[in-house]
């Protein structure tokens, strides 16, 4: 594997990199960001937190607005932020150019439907190819992984962790889509990428996965009460019920007056990273 | 004065606003951001820190990337970030569209040269009009003001404070232009806005102002050793010499490996805000 360092900036004592590489999963170039805390300079491997972004985002949104570096520097965490879809010439998009499907909206699945099946293989990308690359190229301790994400990326974090719980010592999410099969964003995406095969949908729906027996030890979720998508797309009460029924320890923080933006995420990022760090020691 | 709230987001317990208003100074609409910390909810007036941005920036750069809200929330500081130039239909720009003059590059002066004199009145805007508006519209204690800025905005912070030192209890800068008369960015800007009248230049040159007798009690400056502009445009050694000669207490932190970007600024923002807060109590 060869990687190209697109940019490198010193920040909070560590190194913020943006990295490009050719992805065999998606058949395109892919760009991600990775923050190496100051502790990375002293040798040895460090725990890694994966951050999956939401609709319309690239790696850049959280890298610029997420306010994660101070906490990662303090706790000695590597922080990796992948893109949200394949991009580039020949990669199909939503036929109408909508923001919630296609480019910037890969939903962390391996599509089976034409014309998306060729490139939209974000599941394989974030669960296999990118971790393998990070493990080789950076001092990441793959025995100490945590995962989080926002909105569509919160969906990604929950489903990735529920399907491979032993890999993650810590799982959290900001304003996640918890039951895509039951909400418009998810129905459009899963329908578009999988067609009407609802058994495929269930493997990419956190609430359905829990209903079908998937388990993680505990979950941390923050969501704002002023989030415009709370009632139509996020429906955290569905996750609460599923976790209660399954005996999963869910700590859900309803944050009064916060919306869906990075102003919300950045406010609670340090809390989440401390929570991850405690579990990744 | 009437103001339009363009956006409001809860963040770090406070309110991040973006505000638009018609400026009599510039003859254009102007947009700025203001963060009101949680303490603003409990009544009473709070100290305010002005942040002047650098070349090419609007209010948005520091608002998104500056990582100032956590510290402002902790210390109870209002944080105001103006735009860097007038904008809009009919506002003249650099004839060649260069980034370092005209739009995004007002240099915090009142231009005297045509065609810039009509709109490029950023000195009056940031020293008179905007403070008057903020004092009326927000719970800002105008007896407790601090000022900082980055690059061109560091130049702005230093010159504004040196010419009205009683107004500011605290003055700092990130990678400031300290002697615009002696460097290419400044020579182009001051020449373009003032023509060859070097007496006007001296009033907008921190080192010249100090040489001419202006004083502030103390200064805090951070600058990165990997800043591409360090030797050609910033020349912090000129400020060091002027402050030493004048007996001004300058604390200058040369930060190993940091560049000119918001990765540098955001790293040391909390340090600067704590320093301001200590002087604004």
């Amino acid at each position: 594997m060869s990687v190209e360092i697109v940019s490198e900036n010193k920040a909070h004592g560590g190194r913020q990199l943006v990295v490009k590489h050719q992805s065999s999963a998606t058949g395109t170039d892919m760009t991600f960001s990775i923050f190496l805390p100051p502790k990375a300079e002293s040798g040895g491997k460090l725990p890694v937190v994966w951050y999956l972004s939401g609709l319309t985002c690239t790696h850049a949104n959280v890298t610029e607005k997420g306010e994660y570096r101070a906490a990662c520097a303090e706790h000695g965490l590597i922080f990796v932020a992948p893109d949200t879809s394949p991009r580039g010439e020949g990669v199909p998009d939503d036929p109408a150019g909508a923001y919630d499907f296609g480019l910037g909206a890969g939903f962390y699945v391996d599509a089976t439907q034409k014309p998306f099946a060729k490139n939209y293989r974000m599941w394989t990308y974030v669960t296999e190819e990118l971790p393998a690359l990070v493990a080789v190229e950076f001092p990441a301790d793959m025995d100490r992984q945590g995962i989080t994400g926002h909105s569509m990326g919160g969906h990604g974090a929950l489903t990735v962790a529920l399907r491979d719980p032993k890999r993650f010592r810590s799982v959290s999410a900001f304003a996640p889509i918890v039951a895509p099969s039951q909400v418009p964003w998810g129905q459009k995406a899963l329908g578009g990428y999988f067609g009407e095969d609802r058994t495929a949908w269930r493997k990419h729906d956190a609430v359905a996965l829990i209903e079908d027996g998937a388990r993680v030890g505990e979950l941390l979720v923050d969501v704002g009460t002023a989030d415009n998508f709370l009632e139509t797309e996020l429906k955290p009460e569905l996750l609460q019920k599923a976790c209660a029924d399954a005996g999963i320890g869910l700590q859900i923080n309803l944050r009064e007056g916060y919306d869906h933006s990075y102003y919300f995420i950045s406010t609670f990022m340090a809390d989440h990273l401390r929570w991850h760090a405690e579990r990744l020691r």
Side-chain angles (χ1 to χ4, degrees), chain A:
Chain A
M1 283 176 285
S2 76
V3 301
E4 174 193 345
I5 305 299
V6 176
S7 65
E8 172 170 348
N9 300 86
K10 190 167 179 182
H12 290 283
R15 296 160 65 206
Q16 179 63 62
L17 306 179
V18 175
V19 180
K20 191 161 88 171
H21 67 110
Q22 191 154 29
S23 164
S24 58
T26 67
T28 65
D29 282 347
M30 291 295 286
T31 300
F32 66 93
S33 81
I34 181 166
F35 179 69
L36 302 171
K39 207 176 168 188
E41 301 304 314
S42 50
K45 298 201 167 191
L46 298 177
V48 56
V49 174
W50 303 90
Y51 177 91
L52 303 184
S53 294
L55 288 168
T56 77
C57 290
T58 68
H59 71 282
N61 303 67
V62 72
T63 306
E64 295 178 351
K65 304 179 186 177
E67 302 191 13
Y68 57 81
R69 281 175 289 269
C72 287
E74 178 186 349
H75 301 301
L77 299 173
I78 293 173
F79 188 98
V80 185
D83 202 346
T84 54
S85 78
R87 298 176 196 272
E89 216 172 324
V91 175
D93 192 7
D94 182 277
Y99 76 96
D100 57 1
F101 188 77
L103 298 180
F107 264 84
Y108 307 101
V109 302
D110 286 350
T112 58
Q113 296 298 294
K114 287 184 180 175
F116 304 103
K118 183 181 172 200
N119 304 117
Y120 283 79
R121 296 176 50 79
M122 290 299 292
W123 178 266
T124 296
Y125 179 70
V126 300
T127 65
E128 294 178 21
E129 185 177 19
L130 185 58
L133 183 152
V134 166
V136 167
E137 299 283 344
F138 300 101
D141 180 352
M142 304 308 277
D143 291 330
R144 290 188 290 162
Q145 296 183 61
I147 190 165
T148 186
H150 172 235
S151 194
M152 175 184 76
H155 145 75
L158 295 174
T159 54
V160 166
L162 281 161
R163 286 175 57 181
D164 193 1
K166 288 187 181 158
R167 187 171 140 199
F168 300 97
R169 292 201 198 172
S170 54
V171 188
S172 80
F174 300 89
I177 303 168
V178 303
S181 311
Q182 301 185 49
V183 301
W185 276 343
Q187 289 163 344
K188 177 177 178 180
L190 299 180
Y193 294 128
F194 293 126
E196 288 311 307
D197 171 15
R198 295 240 170 187
T199 57
W201 292 28
R202 290 188 77 80
K203 291 187 175 176
H204 291 279
D205 180 307
V207 164
L209 282 165
I210 294 170
E211 288 171 356
D212 293 346
R215 295 291 180 268
V216 291
E218 55 180 342
L219 289 173
L220 171 64
V221 170
D222 276 66
V223 60
T225 64
D227 189 316
N228 284 336
F229 304 108
L230 186 63
E231 293 177 13
T232 52
E233 303 284 2
L234 307 183
K235 295 186 179 291
E237 67 278 7
L238 297 178
L239 184 65
Q240 285 180 293
K241 180 172 187 310
C243 286
D245 291 349
I248 294 174
L250 167 65
Q251 178 185 334
I252 187 162
N253 300 312
L254 297 172
R255 300 297 189 177
E256 184 65 31
Y258 285 88
D259 62 24
H260 201 64
S261 71
Y262 270 94
Y263 294 107
F264 155 67
I265 300 168
S266 62
T267 297
F268 300 104
M269 180 63 85
D271 291 349
H272 277 239
L273 291 171
R274 185 174 56 246
W275 189 89
H276 283 273
E278 287 165 0
R279 284 151 184 81
L280 293 169
R281 267 185 205 124

